[in-house]
Amino acid sequence: MRMRILSTTFLASLIMSAAACGDGSSSTESSIIAIDGSSTVFPITAAVAEEFRGTNAAAPVTVGFSGTGGGFKKFCRGETAISNASRPVSTSELEACAQASIGMIELPVAYDGLAVVVNPKNSWATSMTVAELKKLWQPEAQGAIMKWSQIRPGWPDEAISLYGPGVDSGTFDYFTEAVNGKSKASRGDYTSSENDNILVQGVAGDEFALGFMGLAYYEENQGRLTLVAVDDEDPDNGAGPILPSFDTVRNGTYRPLSRPLFIYVNSAELARPEVAQFLDFYLANTSALSKEVGYVSLTDAELELVKARLAARTVGTMFADHAAQSSMSLTELLQGHQ
Amino acid sequence: MSTRASRLAGDRLLQTMSILVLALSLVALAALLYDIWSDGWYRLDWQFITSLPSRRAASAGIYPALVGSLYVLLVTAVLAVPLGIGAAVYLEEYGGGGRFARLIEINIANLAGVPSIIYGLLGLSLFVRAFQMGPSVLAGGSTLALLALPVVILSTREALRTVPMSAREGSYALGATQWQTIWHQVLPSALPGILTGLILAMSRAIGETAPLITIGALAYLDFAPSGLMSPFTVLPIQIYNWVSLPQPAFAENAAAGIIVLLVLLLTLNAVAVVLRDRFQKARQ
């Protein structure tokens, strides 16, 4: 008998939801602010959206995480108003958008640091140069650099086990670009996972492991991992090996493994008042919220420049010139592109 | 004599091994359930069920994902069940053993083994773009319906084959047409088997993440889907999202989300089992 009641209620609920399917919902759809893109930027945008829903201006917001590249594909088809990106837009993506006559406003919203981490039992690798990281991670290292002693003489003659994000992640793109000089160029014989928590577990459980991941994952697991200081051998932005921290990422001395995170806005969508309100709200709150979800906030001066960029509706990218990108700080770039 | 003893020994050995294998898989399942339950049970409350996603683990909830999963599953069932059963009836009762039918049969068996992400790509170009559905509940349900169809067709055919030929012949002898025979004799006898197949197909559909992410299902929604054209998210995507966040508190949310998903799955299966038993009793 109880079973019959159960199945009847279930059928009733099915029928009711089927009825609910029938009535259109165009009223909410037209005002939706659709966002997609990088899963790294996702927590910041989702946090802003969460706070935005408490304001008077609240319009429904949807955020996907199909990746920086996947996000731009949708953005350039006009399917989203805002695209999250963990790297600057590429030339080919810019062209695709231009062909669809979609103008994009590039807004840096936070910094992220990439942490190189080892097991707490590891007493030797307290710092590494970018050249040493490259020696270890470049494609030629596959099957060749297998022991710690091969990276620096004097380090243990033990097999090194490597952990890193999967090839579809923006973190992987950025690390390979910064260390190996070419995006996606990497050795393939390492343990990869799209889930950074798996990497944390791997490195925490293996004395001879080394891995890289977002700085936030180190901060949540400080007792289980040890940071490696990174030396880019360029005294102009901090001499010697530098540990990633809120300050060193922010002041640009933790180079090259710190990166700005962006949102790109469809300039035509700014005509919608709810989109404009959402962006004002985003820039007003990104400092506090990005910090809360584990990222490094922009400096106040940089944030003012970003706000001015939005107010002026400056279309296009600051990163078209790759040489300038690697030598200039975000502040310089923002000042140069007002 | 000795051969008989050794044959019996072999018999016992195989029996013991079967029991061991069964016990092993049950223990693994029990360990998994215990682990999930101990991580997530205290996060499970009404607030968790009815809240919107949040960056604070303690106030985050699964409401949009739960409603999204129900909507998508409903669309999947409405599309896959009649189509799947219809296709199986055609192949088994009308199609005969012709070469064309066999070709279709092989293809369906192959489709059942295609990785789900491929269905996602098909759904993206067909439903989302060509049919202009956008990343909606309808597109998601349609994509999962494609994924579920081969399983529904194959299991329905198996069930139809268990109906003895004599039942059909008896029906024809009494003057029934082929359709009357199928509707009044064959389908009711095969229904328990068909329902088992539906349980399998829907269970697979409810746990899918990859094809839905491909077609553009979302990760953050501050409203539950309200219609067929609404954007949506589903429970497995919400769970995946929580598992990959750095803050450990979200792992507990993920465990609680898994419990909700399991309960939903078991409820649906229980309904199907109850229906099956009632049909079986009614036939006897």
Side-chain angles (χ1 to χ4, degrees):
Chain A
M1 188 60 203
R2 192 184 299 160
M3 283 305 194
R4 174 177 294 178
I5 293 170
L6 195 91
S7 62
T8 319
T9 18
F10 176 73
L11 281 176
S13 65
L14 272 190
I15 291 161
M16 271 161 61
S17 45
C21 281
D23 55 55
S25 54
S26 50
S27 58
T28 51
E29 249 131 87
S30 56
S31 64
I32 288 177
I33 303 174
I35 306 174
D36 206 330
S38 161
S39 58
T40 308
V41 188
F42 170 83
I44 307 176
T45 302
V48 173
E50 184 190 347
E51 289 305 311
F52 187 64
R53 88 186 169 221
T55 66
N56 291 332
V61 179
T62 65
V63 193
F65 52 8
S66 55
T68 302
F72 275 126
K73 280 204 189 94
K74 290 183 183 164
F75 184 78
C76 295
R77 299 175 69 103
E79 292 170 8
T80 53
I82 298 170
S83 208
N84 293 329
S86 61
R87 55 161 173 78
V89 63
S90 74
T91 319
S92 59
E93 286 159 352
L94 211 56
E95 276 164 14
C97 269
Q99 264 177 7
S101 333
I102 286 174
M104 51 170 84
I105 303 173
E106 180 178 63
L107 303 172
V109 292
Y111 286 109
D112 184 23
L114 293 191
V116 178
V117 295
V118 292
N119 190 277
K121 285 191 193 141
N122 182 323
S123 55
W124 56 94
T126 51
S127 74
M128 288 175 84
T129 64
V130 174
E132 282 169 338
L133 283 173
K134 182 176 182 185
K135 191 176 172 188
L136 178 61
W137 282 98
Q138 65 187 344
E140 293 77 27
Q142 179 152 348
I145 308 290
M146 307 301 279
K147 290 180 168 180
W148 281 97
S149 53
Q150 287 171 291
I151 307 169
R152 195 186 287 179
W155 282 358
D157 189 29
E158 295 280 354
I160 185 167
S161 31
L162 295 170
Y163 293 85
V167 294
D168 289 330
S169 86
T171 315
F172 174 82
D173 289 353
Y174 198 85
F175 183 86
T176 47
E177 168 112 43
V179 169
N180 299 337
K182 190 168 178 287
S183 180
K184 292 194 187 298
S186 164
R187 68 190 295 169
D189 54 344
Y190 69 96
T191 308
S192 77
S193 172
E194 298 298 336
N195 179 350
D196 283 11
N197 286 319
I198 304 290
L199 305 178
V200 171
Q201 273 176 21
V203 178
D206 183 346
E207 186 179 347
F208 298 102
L210 178 141
F212 64 93
M213 59 195 64
L215 188 55
Y217 290 85
Y218 164 75
E219 277 164 2
E220 292 292 339
N221 296 282
Q222 298 200 5
R224 305 166 68 198
L225 303 170
T226 301
L227 280 177
V228 177
V230 176
D231 185 358
D232 64 356
E233 295 175 281
D234 176 5
D236 286 347
N237 50 49
I242 288 166
L243 282 170
S245 70
F246 189 85
D247 293 325
T248 57
V249 168
R250 208 177 188 200
N251 65 23
T253 53
Y254 183 64
R255 282 273 183 101
L257 294 181
S258 64
R259 57 171 168 177
L261 304 175
F262 305 90
I263 56 172
Y264 287 81
V265 184
N266 182 330
S267 51
E269 294 275 331
L270 262 177
R272 290 167 55 193
E274 66 271 20
V275 175
Q277 275 169 336
F278 179 75
L279 286 167
D280 288 339
F281 188 81
Y282 201 124
L283 294 184
N285 293 280
T286 183
S287 289
L289 291 175
S290 58
K291 219 152 117 182
E292 199 180 321
V293 295
Y295 295 107
V296 176
S297 50
L298 301 177
T299 64
D300 291 344
E302 283 162 348
L303 197 60
E304 287 313 311
L305 289 168
V306 174
K307 283 178 184 163
R309 200 174 163 77
L310 175 63
R313 320 232 150 160
T314 314
V315 177
T317 177
M318 302 177 278
F319 296 86
D321 178 3
H322 267 266
Q325 176 192 343
S326 52
S327 64
M328 288 165 83
S329 73
L330 187 59
T331 314
E332 288 168 322
L333 283 168
L334 281 164
Q335 281 164 343
H337 285 81
Q338 281 304 315
Chain B
M1 203 51 196
S2 67
T3 49
R4 180 178 155 75
S6 71
R7 278 197 301 129
L8 282 177
D11 200 35
R12 269 196 301 276
L13 183 72
L14 196 69
Q15 195 185 357
T16 324
M17 271 169 61
S18 312
I19 292 172
L20 270 178
V21 169
L22 179 68
L24 203 69
S25 47
L26 284 181
V27 165
L29 181 66
L32 196 74
L33 289 179
Y34 172 77
D35 189 46
I36 293 294
W37 182 255
S38 60
D39 279 351
W41 70 270
Y42 71 92
R43 274 295 290 127
L44 264 185
D45 50 24
W46 193 241
Q47 177 267 331
F48 183 73
I49 306 284
T50 56
S51 289
L52 298 172
S54 167
R55 67 182 181 285
R56 295 187 197 89
S59 53
I62 51 159
Y63 181 62
L66 181 61
V67 179
S69 268
L70 283 171
Y71 263 86
V72 169
L73 206 65
L74 187 75
V75 174
T76 306
V78 165
L79 291 175
V81 171
L83 274 180
I85 295 178
V89 165
Y90 169 76
L91 287 172
E92 206 53 38
E93 304 292 326
Y94 294 98
R99 189 179 291 178
F100 180 63
R102 225 173 311 145
L103 189 75
I104 293 178
E105 189 179 344
I106 292 169
N107 276 301
I108 291 172
N110 282 337
L111 279 177
V114 168
S116 58
I117 186 100
I118 307 289
Y119 287 99
L121 293 171
L122 177 65
L124 178 69
S125 51
L126 190 67
F127 299 125
V128 177
R129 303 237 157 105
F131 293 173
Q132 304 263 314
M133 291 180 189
S136 60
V137 168
L138 186 60
S142 308
T143 307
L144 291 187
L146 287 184
L147 189 96
L149 261 178
V151 184
V152 176
I153 296 175
L154 287 177
S155 57
T156 305
R157 294 194 66 187
E158 286 304 320
L160 292 175
R161 272 178 212 161
T162 62
V163 180
M165 221 29 169
S166 55
R168 295 184 181 87
E169 283 157 358
S171 176
Y172 292 142
L174 290 170
T177 62
Q178 188 168 11
W179 172 242
Q180 283 171 325
T181 305
I182 291 170
W183 186 249
H184 294 289
Q185 303 303 324
V186 180
L187 279 179
S189 317
L191 200 63
I194 295 175
L195 281 171
T196 309
L198 293 185
I199 293 176
L200 286 175
M202 291 304 130
S203 305
R204 183 176 174 197
I206 201 176
E208 282 296 344
T209 320
L212 295 179
I213 290 187
T214 313
I215 67 150
L218 298 153
Y220 172 92
L221 271 167
D222 46 21
F223 53 93
S226 55
L228 285 177
M229 298 317 283
S230 235
F232 71 102
T233 188
V234 292
L235 284 170
I237 294 180
Q238 181 65 70
I239 293 166
Y240 172 79
N241 175 18
W242 278 335
V243 165
S244 55
L245 286 172
Q247 294 82 1
F250 280 106
E252 289 153 15
N253 280 13
I258 291 170
I259 297 174
V260 174
L261 184 62
L262 279 174
V263 168
L264 185 64
L265 187 65
L266 291 177
T267 312
L268 292 177
N269 288 1
V271 170
V273 168
V274 169
L275 286 177
R276 186 179 65 189
D277 289 351
R278 283 175 61 179
F279 277 113
Q280 245 161 355
K281 265 189 213 123
R283 299 288 300 169
Q284 275 157 12

